[in-house]
Amino acid sequence: MSTTTTPWDLLVLGGGTAGLVGATTAAQLGARVALVERDRTGGDCLWTGCVPSKALLAAANQAAQARRSAELGIVVGSLQVDHAAVLAHVREAIMTIEPQDSPARLREHGVAVLRGNARFTGPGLVEVDGTEHPFHRALLATGATPSLPDLPGLAQAAPLTSETIWTLETLPNELVVLGGGTVGCELGQAFARFGSRVTILEAGPRILPLEDPDAAEVVHRALTRDGVRILTDHRAVAVEPGDVGGTVLTAGVTEQVGYDTLLVALGRTPRTDAIGLDRAGVLTDPQGFVVVDPTLRTSNPRIWAAGDLTPHPQLTHLAGVHASVAASNAVLGLRRRAEVDVVPRVTFTDPEIAAVGTATWARGGERPRIVTRAHTEVDRAVTEGRTEGFSRLALGRGGRVLGGTIVGPRAGESLAEVALAVRHRLTVRDLMASVHAYPTYGDGIWNAAIDEVRRRLSHPAVTRVTAAIIRRRRSPQSWPMRRPSTVTTSSADFSGQKQTRPASRTDSGSGVSYPHTASTSSTPPAATLQ
Protein backbone atom coordinates (compact mmCIF):
# COMPACT_ATOMS: atom_id res chain seq x y z
CA MET A 1 0.00 0.00 0.00
CA SER A 2 1.41 3.42 -0.97
CA THR A 3 1.10 6.57 1.16
CA THR A 4 0.99 10.20 0.09
CA THR A 5 3.56 12.32 1.90
CA THR A 6 1.84 15.65 2.50
CA PRO A 7 -1.23 15.54 4.79
CA TRP A 8 -4.38 17.21 3.54
CA ASP A 9 -5.59 20.19 5.58
CA LEU A 10 -9.11 18.80 5.09
CA LEU A 11 -10.03 15.42 3.61
CA VAL A 12 -13.72 15.18 2.74
CA LEU A 13 -15.45 11.80 2.43
CA GLY A 14 -18.48 12.03 0.15
CA GLY A 15 -19.42 14.17 -2.85
CA GLY A 16 -23.03 15.01 -2.08
CA THR A 17 -24.32 18.39 -0.94
CA ALA A 18 -22.48 18.36 2.39
CA GLY A 19 -19.23 17.20 0.82
CA LEU A 20 -19.36 19.73 -2.02
CA VAL A 21 -20.11 22.69 0.25
CA GLY A 22 -17.61 21.62 2.91
CA ALA A 23 -14.80 21.13 0.38
CA THR A 24 -15.32 24.40 -1.46
CA THR A 25 -15.69 26.33 1.80
CA ALA A 26 -12.36 25.05 3.10
CA ALA A 27 -10.62 25.64 -0.23
CA GLN A 28 -11.88 29.23 -0.36
CA LEU A 29 -10.40 29.74 3.09
CA GLY A 30 -7.01 28.72 1.71
CA ALA A 31 -6.83 25.11 2.91
CA ARG A 32 -5.37 22.22 0.92
CA VAL A 33 -8.46 20.08 0.32
CA ALA A 34 -9.26 16.71 -1.24
CA LEU A 35 -12.69 15.16 -1.75
CA VAL A 36 -13.21 11.40 -2.11
CA GLU A 37 -16.22 10.12 -4.08
CA ARG A 38 -16.81 6.52 -5.16
CA ASP A 39 -19.57 7.24 -7.67
CA ARG A 40 -20.78 10.60 -9.02
CA THR A 41 -20.37 14.01 -7.42
CA GLY A 42 -23.70 15.69 -6.75
CA GLY A 43 -25.02 12.96 -4.49
CA ASP A 44 -28.60 11.89 -3.96
CA CYS A 45 -30.00 15.40 -4.33
CA LEU A 46 -28.83 15.77 -7.91
CA TRP A 47 -29.23 12.23 -9.22
CA THR A 48 -32.11 10.57 -7.32
CA GLY A 49 -33.57 13.10 -4.88
CA CYS A 50 -34.39 16.80 -4.98
CA VAL A 51 -33.76 17.52 -8.66
CA PRO A 52 -35.43 14.54 -10.38
CA SER A 53 -38.34 14.42 -7.93
CA LYS A 54 -39.18 18.11 -8.38
CA ALA A 55 -38.91 17.77 -12.15
CA LEU A 56 -41.33 14.83 -11.95
CA LEU A 57 -43.69 16.80 -9.71
CA ALA A 58 -43.64 19.72 -12.15
CA ALA A 59 -44.88 17.43 -14.92
CA ALA A 60 -47.52 15.90 -12.64
CA ASN A 61 -48.74 19.36 -11.62
CA GLN A 62 -49.23 20.28 -15.28
CA ALA A 63 -51.39 17.20 -15.72
CA ALA A 64 -53.48 18.13 -12.70
CA GLN A 65 -53.90 21.73 -13.88
CA ALA A 66 -55.07 20.53 -17.27
CA ARG A 67 -57.70 18.34 -15.62
CA ARG A 68 -59.05 21.15 -13.43
CA SER A 69 -58.79 23.92 -16.03
CA ALA A 70 -62.52 23.63 -16.76
CA GLU A 71 -63.16 25.06 -13.29
CA LEU A 72 -61.65 28.30 -14.58
CA GLY A 73 -63.44 28.19 -17.91
CA ILE A 74 -60.71 26.53 -19.98
CA VAL A 75 -61.79 23.23 -21.55
CA VAL A 76 -59.08 20.93 -22.92
CA GLY A 77 -59.38 17.64 -24.75
CA SER A 78 -58.42 14.21 -23.48
CA LEU A 79 -55.20 14.13 -21.48
CA GLN A 80 -52.33 11.87 -22.49
CA VAL A 81 -49.18 11.31 -20.45
CA ASP A 82 -46.02 10.44 -22.38
CA HIS A 83 -43.95 8.77 -19.64
CA ALA A 84 -40.84 8.65 -21.81
CA ALA A 85 -41.08 12.40 -22.42
CA VAL A 86 -41.59 13.00 -18.69
CA LEU A 87 -38.41 11.06 -17.92
CA ALA A 88 -36.60 13.00 -20.64
CA HIS A 89 -37.61 16.22 -18.87
CA VAL A 90 -36.30 14.78 -15.60
CA ARG A 91 -32.96 13.86 -17.19
CA GLU A 92 -32.68 17.28 -18.82
CA ALA A 93 -33.11 18.99 -15.44
CA ILE A 94 -30.39 16.78 -13.95
CA MET A 95 -27.93 17.42 -16.76
CA THR A 96 -28.56 21.17 -16.69
CA ILE A 97 -27.65 21.36 -13.00
CA GLU A 98 -24.89 18.71 -13.04
CA PRO A 99 -22.01 21.02 -14.13
CA GLN A 100 -22.44 23.00 -10.90
CA ASP A 101 -21.60 19.83 -8.91
CA SER A 102 -19.00 18.36 -11.25
CA PRO A 103 -15.37 17.43 -10.51
CA ALA A 104 -14.33 20.13 -12.97
CA ARG A 105 -16.13 22.78 -10.91
CA LEU A 106 -14.52 21.44 -7.73
CA ARG A 107 -11.07 21.70 -9.31
CA GLU A 108 -11.84 25.28 -10.33
CA HIS A 109 -12.31 25.98 -6.61
CA GLY A 110 -8.99 24.36 -5.80
CA VAL A 111 -10.32 21.00 -4.57
CA ALA A 112 -8.54 17.77 -5.54
CA VAL A 113 -11.00 15.01 -6.47
CA LEU A 114 -10.09 11.40 -5.60
CA ARG A 115 -12.12 8.58 -7.18
CA GLY A 116 -12.62 5.42 -5.17
CA ASN A 117 -13.84 3.88 -1.92
CA ALA A 118 -12.60 5.56 1.25
CA ARG A 119 -11.93 3.72 4.50
CA PHE A 120 -10.25 4.90 7.68
CA THR A 121 -7.15 2.92 8.65
CA GLY A 122 -6.36 5.01 11.71
CA PRO A 123 -7.27 8.24 13.53
CA GLY A 124 -5.47 10.32 10.90
CA LEU A 125 -5.32 8.08 7.83
CA VAL A 126 -7.78 7.26 5.04
CA GLU A 127 -7.19 4.59 2.42
CA VAL A 128 -8.57 5.26 -1.07
CA ASP A 129 -8.29 2.18 -3.29
CA GLY A 130 -4.88 1.11 -2.00
CA THR A 131 -3.37 4.53 -1.31
CA GLU A 132 -3.24 5.97 2.21
CA HIS A 133 -3.87 9.67 2.64
CA PRO A 134 -2.85 11.36 5.90
CA PHE A 135 -4.91 14.36 7.01
CA HIS A 136 -4.84 17.10 9.60
CA ARG A 137 -8.65 17.29 9.65
CA ALA A 138 -11.44 15.32 7.98
CA LEU A 139 -15.12 15.87 7.21
CA LEU A 140 -17.55 12.94 7.03
CA ALA A 141 -20.28 13.52 4.44
CA THR A 142 -21.22 10.07 3.17
CA GLY A 143 -24.98 10.70 3.44
CA ALA A 144 -27.71 8.10 3.76
CA THR A 145 -29.54 5.50 1.68
CA PRO A 146 -33.24 4.46 1.61
CA SER A 147 -34.17 2.07 4.41
CA LEU A 148 -35.57 -1.37 3.62
CA PRO A 149 -37.35 -3.06 6.55
CA ASP A 150 -36.84 -6.70 7.36
CA LEU A 151 -40.20 -7.91 6.07
CA PRO A 152 -40.75 -11.51 4.94
CA GLY A 153 -40.78 -11.61 1.15
CA LEU A 154 -39.70 -7.99 0.63
CA ALA A 155 -36.24 -8.74 -0.74
CA GLN A 156 -37.67 -11.26 -3.21
CA ALA A 157 -40.20 -8.66 -4.38
CA ALA A 158 -37.36 -6.38 -5.61
CA PRO A 159 -39.06 -3.18 -4.42
CA LEU A 160 -38.24 0.25 -5.74
CA THR A 161 -37.02 3.12 -3.58
CA SER A 162 -36.56 6.85 -4.14
CA GLU A 163 -33.17 5.96 -5.65
CA THR A 164 -34.35 3.33 -8.13
CA ILE A 165 -37.83 4.48 -9.16
CA TRP A 166 -36.20 6.49 -11.95
CA THR A 167 -35.47 3.24 -13.77
CA LEU A 168 -39.18 2.71 -14.53
CA GLU A 169 -39.68 2.73 -18.29
CA THR A 170 -43.48 2.54 -18.14
CA LEU A 171 -46.09 3.87 -15.77
CA PRO A 172 -47.26 1.41 -13.09
CA ASN A 173 -50.87 0.27 -13.25
CA GLU A 174 -51.09 -0.52 -9.52
CA LEU A 175 -48.50 1.27 -7.36
CA VAL A 176 -48.35 0.49 -3.65
CA VAL A 177 -46.31 2.86 -1.49
CA LEU A 178 -45.10 1.75 1.94
CA GLY A 179 -44.93 4.89 4.06
CA GLY A 180 -47.04 8.03 4.25
CA GLY A 181 -44.24 10.47 4.93
CA THR A 182 -42.90 13.20 2.68
CA VAL A 183 -41.39 10.97 -0.03
CA GLY A 184 -44.34 8.59 -0.12
CA CYS A 185 -46.91 11.38 -0.42
CA GLU A 186 -44.95 13.34 -3.04
CA LEU A 187 -44.29 10.40 -5.35
CA GLY A 188 -47.68 8.80 -4.69
CA GLN A 189 -49.51 11.96 -5.75
CA ALA A 190 -47.30 12.39 -8.81
CA PHE A 191 -47.96 8.89 -10.16
CA ALA A 192 -51.68 9.19 -9.41
CA ARG A 193 -51.76 12.35 -11.51
CA PHE A 194 -50.05 10.49 -14.33
CA GLY A 195 -52.82 7.88 -14.24
CA SER A 196 -51.54 5.09 -11.97
CA ARG A 197 -53.81 3.60 -9.32
CA VAL A 198 -51.92 4.40 -6.13
CA THR A 199 -52.34 3.04 -2.59
CA ILE A 200 -50.36 4.47 0.33
CA LEU A 201 -49.99 2.20 3.37
CA GLU A 202 -49.22 4.12 6.57
CA ALA A 203 -48.67 2.33 9.88
CA GLY A 204 -49.67 5.35 11.97
CA PRO A 205 -53.03 7.05 12.40
CA ARG A 206 -52.32 9.73 9.77
CA ILE A 207 -50.00 10.63 6.93
CA LEU A 208 -47.23 13.20 7.40
CA PRO A 209 -46.99 12.59 11.17
CA LEU A 210 -44.32 15.28 11.70
CA GLU A 211 -46.54 18.07 10.39
CA ASP A 212 -49.44 20.04 11.81
CA PRO A 213 -52.44 17.65 11.82
CA ASP A 214 -54.64 20.26 10.12
CA ALA A 215 -52.04 20.65 7.37
CA ALA A 216 -51.74 16.89 6.96
CA GLU A 217 -55.51 16.64 6.65
CA VAL A 218 -55.54 19.23 3.84
CA VAL A 219 -52.96 17.18 1.94
CA HIS A 220 -54.85 13.94 2.71
CA ARG A 221 -57.96 15.41 1.05
CA ALA A 222 -55.91 16.63 -1.91
CA LEU A 223 -54.35 13.21 -2.48
CA THR A 224 -57.76 11.58 -2.25
CA ARG A 225 -59.12 13.98 -4.88
CA ASP A 226 -56.25 12.92 -7.13
CA GLY A 227 -57.32 9.30 -6.77
CA VAL A 228 -54.81 8.12 -4.14
CA ARG A 229 -56.15 5.45 -1.80
CA ILE A 230 -54.74 6.13 1.69
CA LEU A 231 -54.87 3.35 4.29
CA THR A 232 -53.77 4.52 7.74
CA ASP A 233 -53.21 2.18 10.67
CA HIS A 234 -52.04 -0.38 8.11
CA ARG A 235 -48.64 -1.75 9.06
CA ALA A 236 -47.04 -3.93 6.41
CA VAL A 237 -45.97 -7.28 7.91
CA ALA A 238 -45.16 -9.34 4.83
CA VAL A 239 -44.95 -9.27 1.05
CA GLU A 240 -46.02 -12.10 -1.22
CA PRO A 241 -44.32 -11.59 -4.58
CA GLY A 242 -45.90 -13.06 -7.69
CA ASP A 243 -44.96 -13.47 -11.33
CA VAL A 244 -45.96 -9.87 -12.00
CA GLY A 245 -46.23 -7.75 -8.88
CA GLY A 246 -47.54 -9.25 -5.69
CA THR A 247 -49.49 -8.58 -2.51
CA VAL A 248 -48.71 -6.67 0.69
CA LEU A 249 -50.14 -8.09 3.91
CA THR A 250 -50.94 -5.61 6.66
CA ALA A 251 -51.60 -5.81 10.39
CA GLY A 252 -53.51 -3.42 12.60
CA VAL A 253 -56.27 -3.38 10.02
CA THR A 254 -55.78 -6.71 8.27
CA GLU A 255 -55.83 -6.41 4.49
CA GLN A 256 -54.21 -7.77 1.35
CA VAL A 257 -53.22 -5.06 -1.13
CA GLY A 258 -52.19 -6.08 -4.64
CA TYR A 259 -49.65 -4.26 -6.78
CA ASP A 260 -47.58 -4.49 -9.93
CA THR A 261 -45.02 -1.98 -8.62
CA LEU A 262 -43.95 -1.64 -4.98
CA LEU A 263 -42.27 1.52 -3.67
CA VAL A 264 -40.69 1.59 -0.19
CA ALA A 265 -40.53 5.07 1.40
CA LEU A 266 -39.75 4.36 5.06
CA GLY A 267 -36.93 6.75 5.85
CA ARG A 268 -33.17 6.66 5.27
CA THR A 269 -30.25 4.82 6.87
CA PRO A 270 -26.83 6.51 7.29
CA ARG A 271 -23.95 5.21 5.15
CA THR A 272 -21.51 4.63 8.00
CA ASP A 273 -21.03 0.87 8.23
CA ALA A 274 -18.22 0.34 5.71
CA ILE A 275 -15.82 3.26 6.14
CA GLY A 276 -13.83 2.09 9.17
CA LEU A 277 -15.20 4.51 11.75
CA ASP A 278 -14.11 2.19 14.56
CA ARG A 279 -10.47 2.50 13.47
CA ALA A 280 -10.82 6.28 13.43
CA GLY A 281 -12.35 6.38 16.91
CA VAL A 282 -15.63 7.85 15.64
CA LEU A 283 -18.70 6.85 17.64
CA THR A 284 -22.16 6.18 16.19
CA ASP A 285 -25.55 5.85 17.88
CA PRO A 286 -27.66 2.63 17.83
CA GLN A 287 -29.18 3.63 14.47
CA GLY A 288 -25.75 4.14 12.91
CA PHE A 289 -25.76 7.96 12.88
CA VAL A 290 -22.45 9.66 13.67
CA VAL A 291 -22.53 11.30 17.10
CA VAL A 292 -21.56 14.98 16.91
CA ASP A 293 -21.34 17.85 19.40
CA PRO A 294 -22.99 21.27 18.80
CA THR A 295 -20.02 22.28 16.60
CA LEU A 296 -20.42 19.09 14.49
CA ARG A 297 -17.22 17.58 15.88
CA THR A 298 -17.15 13.81 16.34
CA SER A 299 -15.58 11.77 19.14
CA ASN A 300 -12.31 12.00 17.19
CA PRO A 301 -11.22 15.66 17.70
CA ARG A 302 -9.73 15.71 14.18
CA ILE A 303 -12.95 14.69 12.43
CA TRP A 304 -16.23 16.56 11.84
CA ALA A 305 -19.47 15.34 10.22
CA ALA A 306 -22.34 17.01 8.37
CA GLY A 307 -25.40 15.94 6.41
CA ASP A 308 -27.66 12.91 6.45
CA LEU A 309 -25.24 10.66 8.37
CA THR A 310 -25.73 12.80 11.51
CA PRO A 311 -28.85 12.69 13.73
CA HIS A 312 -29.98 16.11 12.45
CA PRO A 313 -32.90 16.44 9.98
CA GLN A 314 -32.10 14.93 6.60
CA LEU A 315 -32.56 18.04 4.47
CA THR A 316 -30.35 19.16 1.61
CA HIS A 317 -30.28 22.81 2.65
CA LEU A 318 -29.37 21.89 6.22
CA ALA A 319 -26.60 19.59 4.98
CA GLY A 320 -25.04 22.47 3.07
CA VAL A 321 -25.27 24.94 5.94
CA HIS A 322 -23.87 22.43 8.43
CA ALA A 323 -21.03 21.48 6.09
CA SER A 324 -19.99 25.13 5.81
CA VAL A 325 -19.95 25.44 9.60
CA ALA A 326 -18.06 22.16 10.05
CA ALA A 327 -15.44 22.98 7.41
CA SER A 328 -14.70 26.45 8.79
CA ASN A 329 -14.52 25.04 12.32
CA ALA A 330 -12.11 22.33 11.14
CA VAL A 331 -9.64 24.44 9.18
CA LEU A 332 -9.76 27.62 11.29
CA GLY A 333 -10.15 26.11 14.75
CA LEU A 334 -13.46 27.91 15.35
CA ARG A 335 -16.23 26.79 17.71
CA ARG A 336 -19.27 27.89 15.72
CA ARG A 337 -22.44 26.05 16.70
CA ALA A 338 -24.61 24.53 14.01
CA GLU A 339 -28.17 25.82 13.62
CA VAL A 340 -30.60 23.12 14.73
CA ASP A 341 -33.66 25.07 15.91
CA VAL A 342 -34.67 27.29 12.98
CA VAL A 343 -34.71 24.76 10.14
CA PRO A 344 -37.40 25.22 7.47
CA ARG A 345 -38.83 22.14 5.78
CA VAL A 346 -41.20 21.68 2.85
CA THR A 347 -43.32 18.76 1.69
CA PHE A 348 -43.70 19.31 -2.06
CA THR A 349 -47.15 17.85 -2.47
CA ASP A 350 -49.89 19.97 -4.02
CA PRO A 351 -50.71 21.89 -1.93
CA GLU A 352 -47.31 22.18 -0.28
CA ILE A 353 -46.76 22.12 3.47
CA ALA A 354 -44.00 24.41 4.73
CA ALA A 355 -43.06 24.73 8.39
CA VAL A 356 -40.34 26.13 10.64
CA GLY A 357 -39.63 26.57 14.33
CA THR A 358 -42.04 25.81 17.16
CA ALA A 359 -44.88 23.43 16.28
CA THR A 360 -48.18 25.09 15.45
CA TRP A 361 -50.20 22.48 17.30
CA ALA A 362 -50.41 21.34 20.92
CA ARG A 363 -47.51 19.11 21.95
CA GLY A 364 -47.57 19.43 25.73
CA GLY A 365 -45.75 21.83 28.03
CA GLU A 366 -46.14 25.58 27.68
CA ARG A 367 -48.20 26.07 24.56
CA PRO A 368 -47.70 29.06 22.27
CA ARG A 369 -50.56 31.20 21.07
CA ILE A 370 -51.71 30.06 17.60
CA VAL A 371 -53.00 32.52 14.99
CA THR A 372 -54.45 31.26 11.71
CA ARG A 373 -55.57 32.97 8.51
CA ALA A 374 -57.58 30.64 6.28
CA HIS A 375 -56.84 31.00 2.58
CA THR A 376 -60.53 31.54 1.95
CA GLU A 377 -59.59 35.05 3.17
CA VAL A 378 -56.48 35.39 1.02
CA ASP A 379 -57.46 37.13 -2.20
CA ARG A 380 -54.78 35.55 -4.39
CA ALA A 381 -55.96 32.10 -3.32
CA VAL A 382 -59.55 33.10 -4.12
CA THR A 383 -58.65 34.33 -7.61
CA GLU A 384 -56.88 31.05 -8.39
CA GLY A 385 -59.51 28.82 -6.82
CA ARG A 386 -56.97 27.45 -4.33
CA THR A 387 -58.55 28.26 -0.97
CA GLU A 388 -58.02 24.90 0.75
CA GLY A 389 -54.92 25.97 2.70
CA PHE A 390 -54.04 28.28 5.57
CA SER A 391 -51.22 30.34 7.09
CA ARG A 392 -50.53 29.80 10.80
CA LEU A 393 -48.16 31.37 13.33
CA ALA A 394 -47.01 30.16 16.74
CA LEU A 395 -46.43 33.16 19.03
CA GLY A 396 -44.67 33.65 22.33
CA ARG A 397 -44.63 36.47 24.85
CA GLY A 398 -44.90 39.94 23.43
CA GLY A 399 -46.09 38.55 20.11
CA ARG A 400 -42.70 37.08 19.24
CA VAL A 401 -42.85 34.74 16.24
CA LEU A 402 -41.75 31.26 17.34
CA GLY A 403 -42.79 29.21 14.33
CA GLY A 404 -45.20 28.83 11.47
CA THR A 405 -46.96 26.45 9.11
CA ILE A 406 -48.23 27.34 5.65
CA VAL A 407 -50.34 25.10 3.42
CA GLY A 408 -50.89 26.15 -0.18
CA PRO A 409 -49.28 26.62 -3.58
CA ARG A 410 -45.61 27.65 -3.28
CA ALA A 411 -45.84 27.55 0.50
CA GLY A 412 -42.08 27.01 0.65
CA GLU A 413 -41.49 30.45 -0.84
CA SER A 414 -43.89 32.14 1.60
CA LEU A 415 -42.15 30.41 4.52
CA ALA A 416 -38.88 32.33 4.04
CA GLU A 417 -40.33 35.37 5.79
CA VAL A 418 -41.39 33.30 8.78
CA ALA A 419 -37.98 31.63 9.03
CA LEU A 420 -36.32 35.06 9.06
CA ALA A 421 -38.73 36.28 11.75
CA VAL A 422 -38.04 33.26 13.96
CA ARG A 423 -34.29 33.50 13.44
CA HIS A 424 -34.13 37.19 14.38
CA ARG A 425 -36.73 37.07 17.17
CA LEU A 426 -39.16 39.39 15.36
CA THR A 427 -42.72 40.03 16.54
CA VAL A 428 -46.09 40.23 14.83
CA ARG A 429 -45.72 44.01 14.95
CA ASP A 430 -42.56 43.71 12.88
CA LEU A 431 -44.37 41.56 10.31
CA MET A 432 -47.35 43.90 10.26
CA ALA A 433 -45.14 46.96 9.76
CA SER A 434 -43.53 45.50 6.62
CA VAL A 435 -45.58 46.39 3.55
CA HIS A 436 -46.41 43.29 1.53
CA ALA A 437 -47.23 43.14 -2.18
CA TYR A 438 -50.88 42.50 -3.03
CA PRO A 439 -52.31 40.13 -4.05
CA THR A 440 -49.92 37.34 -3.11
CA TYR A 441 -50.01 34.18 -1.02
CA GLY A 442 -47.73 36.08 1.37
CA ASP A 443 -50.84 38.01 2.43
CA GLY A 444 -51.77 35.00 4.56
CA ILE A 445 -48.90 35.43 7.02
CA TRP A 446 -49.15 39.23 6.88
CA ASN A 447 -52.86 39.23 7.68
CA ALA A 448 -52.40 36.66 10.43
CA ALA A 449 -49.95 39.11 12.03
CA ILE A 450 -52.33 42.03 11.49
CA ASP A 451 -55.18 40.06 13.07
CA GLU A 452 -53.07 39.42 16.16
CA VAL A 453 -52.00 43.07 16.51
CA ARG A 454 -55.62 44.18 16.22
CA ARG A 455 -56.63 41.62 18.84
CA ARG A 456 -54.04 43.06 21.21
CA LEU A 457 -55.33 46.58 20.54
CA SER A 458 -58.83 45.43 21.53
CA HIS A 459 -57.68 44.53 25.05
CA PRO A 460 -59.79 46.47 27.62
CA ALA A 461 -56.76 48.21 29.11
CA VAL A 462 -55.71 49.44 25.67
CA THR A 463 -59.19 50.49 24.60
CA ARG A 464 -59.64 52.54 27.79
CA VAL A 465 -56.46 54.47 27.05
CA THR A 466 -57.26 55.04 23.39
CA ALA A 467 -60.82 56.10 24.22
CA ALA A 468 -59.51 58.64 26.70
CA ILE A 469 -57.09 60.08 24.14
CA ILE A 470 -59.81 60.35 21.49
CA ARG A 471 -62.20 62.11 23.93
CA ARG A 472 -59.51 64.59 24.87
CA ARG A 473 -58.73 65.36 21.24
CA ARG A 474 -62.39 66.09 20.53
CA SER A 475 -62.21 69.12 22.80
CA PRO A 476 -61.50 72.46 21.01
CA GLN A 477 -59.18 73.42 23.86
CA SER A 478 -56.86 70.59 22.79
CA TRP A 479 -56.47 71.99 19.27
CA PRO A 480 -53.15 73.82 18.83
CA MET A 481 -53.61 77.14 17.04
CA ARG A 482 -51.65 77.58 13.84
CA ARG A 483 -52.07 80.44 11.41
CA PRO A 484 -51.55 79.06 7.91
CA SER A 485 -48.72 80.64 5.97
CA THR A 486 -49.84 82.53 2.90
CA VAL A 487 -48.39 83.60 -0.39
CA THR A 488 -49.67 86.20 -2.79
CA THR A 489 -50.15 84.87 -6.27
CA SER A 490 -50.16 86.77 -9.47
CA SER A 491 -52.95 84.71 -10.85
CA ALA A 492 -56.49 85.99 -10.68
CA ASP A 493 -59.43 84.14 -9.25
CA PHE A 494 -62.57 83.57 -11.22
CA SER A 495 -63.76 87.08 -10.36
CA GLY A 496 -60.62 88.53 -11.95
CA GLN A 497 -59.16 89.75 -8.63
CA LYS A 498 -55.91 88.89 -6.88
CA GLN A 499 -56.22 85.97 -4.44
CA THR A 500 -54.31 84.94 -1.34
CA ARG A 501 -54.10 81.17 -0.76
CA PRO A 502 -52.32 78.89 1.71
CA ALA A 503 -48.95 77.52 0.64
CA SER A 504 -48.87 74.00 -0.66
CA ARG A 505 -48.02 71.18 1.76
CA THR A 506 -45.60 68.39 1.03
CA ASP A 507 -46.36 64.80 1.91
CA SER A 508 -43.41 63.75 4.06
CA GLY A 509 -43.54 60.18 2.78
CA SER A 510 -43.56 60.80 -0.97
CA GLY A 511 -42.14 64.29 -1.42
CA VAL A 512 -45.15 65.21 -3.61
CA SER A 513 -46.75 68.65 -3.11
CA TYR A 514 -50.50 68.91 -2.75
CA PRO A 515 -52.05 72.43 -2.94
CA HIS A 516 -54.57 73.24 -0.22
CA THR A 517 -58.07 74.01 -1.38
CA ALA A 518 -59.04 77.61 -0.76
CA SER A 519 -61.82 78.01 1.79
CA THR A 520 -65.14 79.24 0.45
CA SER A 521 -65.95 80.66 3.86
CA SER A 522 -65.29 84.31 4.61
CA THR A 523 -63.78 83.18 7.88
CA PRO A 524 -60.36 81.53 7.47
CA PRO A 525 -59.86 78.20 9.24
CA ALA A 526 -58.92 78.84 12.85
CA ALA A 527 -57.00 75.66 13.53
CA THR A 528 -55.36 72.68 11.96
CA LEU A 529 -55.90 69.25 13.51
CA GLN A 530 -52.52 67.72 14.39
Side-chain angles (χ1 to χ4, degrees):
M1 182 182 296
S2 61
T3 303
T4 58
T5 56
T6 305
W8 298 102
D9 292 326
L10 185 69
L11 184 58
V12 180
L13 278 66
T17 298
L20 295 171
V21 174
T24 54
T25 297
Q28 288 171 347
L29 292 173
R32 183 171 177 268
V33 183
L35 180 145
V36 186
E37 172 55 49
R38 67 180 181 181
D39 190 7
R40 303 172 291 189
T41 55
D44 299 328
C45 180
L46 174 63
W47 299 103
T48 61
C50 316
V51 173
S53 66
K54 301 313 166 281
L56 185 80
L57 295 181
N61 288 345
Q62 291 298 315
Q65 289 182 27
R67 290 191 181 97
R68 66 179 294 268
S69 63
E71 299 174 9
L72 303 180
I74 307 299
V75 180
V76 298
S78 61
L79 183 68
Q80 293 184 341
V81 175
D82 184 341
H83 186 63
V86 170
L87 292 182
H89 163 67
V90 170
R91 288 191 293 270
E92 182 181 3
I94 292 172
M95 299 317 296
T96 300
I97 296 173
E98 186 273 337
Q100 302 175 29
D101 297 345
S102 66
R105 181 62 61 87
L106 285 168
R107 295 186 185 102
E108 289 176 5
H109 286 285
V111 178
V113 180
L114 308 177
R115 291 285 188 183
N117 292 291
R119 181 174 59 88
F120 286 96
T121 56
L125 287 173
V126 168
E127 176 200 340
V128 181
D129 288 355
T131 301
E132 280 193 329
H133 294 263
F135 61 83
H136 294 297
R137 306 288 183 270
L139 173 63
L140 295 173
T142 52
T145 190
S147 302
L148 289 175
D150 186 17
L151 294 180
L154 182 61
Q156 293 75 20
L160 298 175
T161 68
S162 59
E163 288 186 348
T164 57
I165 197 168
W166 314 107
T167 62
L168 281 178
E169 296 182 356
T170 59
L171 279 175
N173 290 319
E174 296 278 353
L175 174 66
V176 170
V177 182
L178 301 188
T182 295
V183 173
C185 288
E186 288 181 2
L187 294 179
Q189 185 180 42
F191 279 96
R193 288 178 161 187
F194 289 143
S196 299
R197 291 184 293 273
V198 177
T199 301
I200 294 178
L201 300 179
E202 168 56 43
R206 64 181 179 93
I207 61 171
L208 302 171
L210 300 181
E211 303 301 339
D212 187 310
D214 293 339
E217 178 59 28
V218 172
V219 171
H220 187 126
R221 292 195 297 267
L223 267 61
T224 301
R225 284 195 300 270
D226 284 327
V228 178
R229 181 188 181 202
I230 300 174
L231 301 178
T232 56
D233 292 315
H234 280 64
R235 179 174 57 86
V237 294
V239 177
E240 294 180 349
D243 294 335
V244 178
T247 303
V248 178
L249 308 180
T250 67
V253 178
T254 303
E255 191 157 349
Q256 297 185 9
V257 184
Y259 66 86
D260 61 45
T261 303
L262 180 62
L263 171 64
V264 178
L266 295 171
R268 296 174 65 80
T269 301
R271 295 190 186 101
T272 56
D273 60 350
I275 55 176
L277 293 182
D278 53 340
R279 296 188 180 186
V282 174
L283 297 178
T284 58
D285 67 14
Q287 287 73 44
F289 292 100
V290 174
V291 177
V292 292
D293 69 9
T295 69
L296 300 175
R297 202 172 201 169
T298 71
S299 53
N300 181 333
R302 300 170 64 178
I303 300 176
W304 281 253
D308 291 357
L309 81 169
T310 72
H312 298 305
Q314 295 178 331
L315 301 167
T316 296
H317 46 281
L318 189 65
V321 171
H322 279 191
S324 179
V325 172
S328 57
N329 285 346
V331 300
L332 298 179
L334 304 178
R335 298 286 297 171
R336 295 170 60 202
R337 298 171 70 92
E339 175 63 73
V340 295
D341 297 321
V342 187
V343 180
R345 62 185 184 275
V346 184
T347 297
F348 292 95
T349 48
D350 182 22
E352 294 178 0
I353 298 179
V356 67
T358 298
T360 52
W361 71 98
R363 300 184 71 175
E366 184 178 352
R367 299 176 182 177
R369 173 170 171 75
I370 304 300
V371 180
T372 303
R373 171 59 72 110
H375 284 184
T376 53
E377 298 177 303
V378 173
D379 290 356
R380 181 60 180 273
V382 173
T383 62
E384 295 188 351
R386 298 300 307 272
T387 59
E388 66 271 29
F390 59 83
S391 298
R392 178 169 289 171
L393 292 173
L395 306 176
R397 293 183 179 180
R400 179 187 161 195
V401 181
L402 302 178
T405 296
I406 305 172
V407 188
R410 301 289 183 181
E413 277 81 350
S414 299
L415 186 72
E417 175 182 32
V418 183
L420 186 69
V422 177
R423 178 70 176 80
H424 292 282
R425 306 172 66 89
L426 303 183
T427 68
V428 286
R429 288 184 178 272
D430 296 316
L431 293 181
M432 181 197 72
S434 300
V435 179
H436 288 56
Y438 173 88
T440 66
Y441 282 99
D443 283 344
I445 287 296
W446 191 29
N447 281 288
I450 292 172
D451 290 344
E452 175 62 11
V453 172
R454 286 177 173 171
R455 185 195 70 83
R456 290 168 177 264
L457 288 175
S458 66
H459 189 278
V462 177
T463 57
R464 285 194 296 269
V465 173
T466 56
I469 293 173
I470 293 172
R471 286 195 301 269
R472 181 173 179 273
R473 293 180 65 81
R474 287 174 183 159
S475 170
Q477 288 76 14
S478 68
W479 296 355
M481 301 297 292
R482 175 181 294 176
R483 187 177 184 83
S485 59
T486 60
V487 295
T488 302
T489 67
S490 59
S491 61
D493 62 11
F494 291 111
S495 63
Q497 299 180 1
K498 301 273 187 177
Q499 178 170 311
T500 298
R501 61 180 176 85
S504 64
R505 64 179 174 87
T506 299
D507 185 281
S508 60
S510 64
V512 179
S513 296
Y514 300 90
H516 284 293
T517 302
S519 174
T520 57
S521 171
S522 60
T523 303
T528 301
L529 181 62
Q530 299 298 306

